[in-house]
Amino acid sequence: MARQTPERKPLISGNWKMHHNHFEAIQVVQKLSFRLKQDDYEAVDVSVHPPFTDIRSVQTVLESDRIPILLGAQNCHWEDKGAFTGEVSAPMLSKLNVQLVIVGHSERREVFGETDEDVNKKVHAVFKHGMTPILCVGETLEEREAGQTETKVTTQVQAGLKGLKAEQVAGMVIAYEPIWAIGTGKTATPDDAQGTIKVIRDVVGEVAGAEPAAALRIQYGGSVKSANIAELMAQPDIDGALVGGASLDPDEFALIVQYRDSRE
């Protein structure tokens, strides 16, 4: 399947998780912008996903300095408002010009008990307010060793896409994150990642049709570093990366964005 078509421009996303206060966040974004060139932005979409307390500060830096990095969030609630202490709604994020929202990250599913139904409601909420969801799917080590990878990601993709229009599916992002590779230093081999991501694209085709499946971008996430990104991006169905720990360091994250340079 052809890569880097206009519909599938690579997307490299930095998920900061619960790291960086808003002062640190400003410094990281500024340092990252100094290391990236216009050519990088033309070849790759770049997003950062700070903690909620940093979003306004990062938004101000990106907009005032005209930095072409996309502003993202790590989560949202599915309701627009209500008695949900500690939650943040999609319209709140939209007002801050957030463009991408991570939905159903494995840590939200595994640690906080989010169900496939919860995740689907969040996908709809993100679309409702004009943003793009990054839907995360992936298997545990036990599921992988039991040969259940394909079944697990198929179920998660089908549930996550429930009720969406074909054009919504075409414009969203799916991130394949093998849970056993997140923060462990272990990474799926490029062939393994490609194999599962090809399964995901095939499932999307069955659910939404061939054209949305071909247009949709699928990222790989799980201990992505500058040392392994080029091999992963060489795979025909991998359209980017959802980067965790390595995105906290602007020098390392810039090298990941510039993965093309290591192949030249």
Side-chain angles (χ1 to χ4, degrees), residues 137-216:
V137 301
E139 82 282 12
T140 64
L141 179 60
E142 292 75 18
E143 289 165 338
R144 179 179 178 80
E145 292 177 341
Q148 297 173 348
T149 296
E150 185 170 334
T151 300
K152 178 66 175 291
V153 298
T154 296
T155 299
Q156 289 181 322
V157 170
Q158 290 172 337
L161 301 185
K162 187 176 180 180
L164 295 181
K165 299 176 182 178
E167 58 267 28
Q168 290 177 312
V169 175
M172 68 183 292
V173 181
I174 292 178
Y176 167 55
E177 296 188 308
I179 296 172
W180 49 270
I182 298 174
T184 64
K186 298 179 181 179
T187 309
T189 67
D191 286 343
D192 283 344
Q194 163 60 26
T196 304
I197 286 174
K198 178 63 165 60
V199 169
I200 291 170
R201 199 176 298 281
D202 289 344
V203 173
V204 174
E206 294 168 2
V207 172
E211 289 187 13
L216 167 123

Side-chain angles (χ1 to χ4, degrees), residues 50-100:
F52 290 134
T53 55
D54 300 357
I55 289 178
R56 176 58 174 163
S57 298
V58 173
Q59 177 205 11
T60 300
V61 173
L62 294 179
E63 294 180 358
S64 62
D65 293 351
R66 298 184 180 180
I67 301 170
I69 292 174
L70 306 175
L71 180 58
Q74 299 175 21
N75 184 37
C76 71
H77 197 273
W78 57 80
E79 294 288 354
D80 286 358
K81 58 184 177 181
F84 302 103
T85 300
E87 291 291 335
V88 173
S89 70
M92 292 175 181
L93 297 176
S94 180
K95 287 293 185 182
L96 293 172
N97 292 340
V98 167
Q99 293 165 277
L100 294 152

Side-chain angles (χ1 to χ4, degrees), residues 114-136:
E114 289 189 6
T115 65
D116 285 339
E117 181 182 6
D118 295 336
V119 173
N120 178 249
K121 289 190 289 188
K122 293 185 178 190
V123 169
H124 281 273
V126 172
F127 272 126
K128 176 183 175 183
H129 294 282
M131 299 174 292
T132 299
I134 299 178
L135 169 65
C136 297

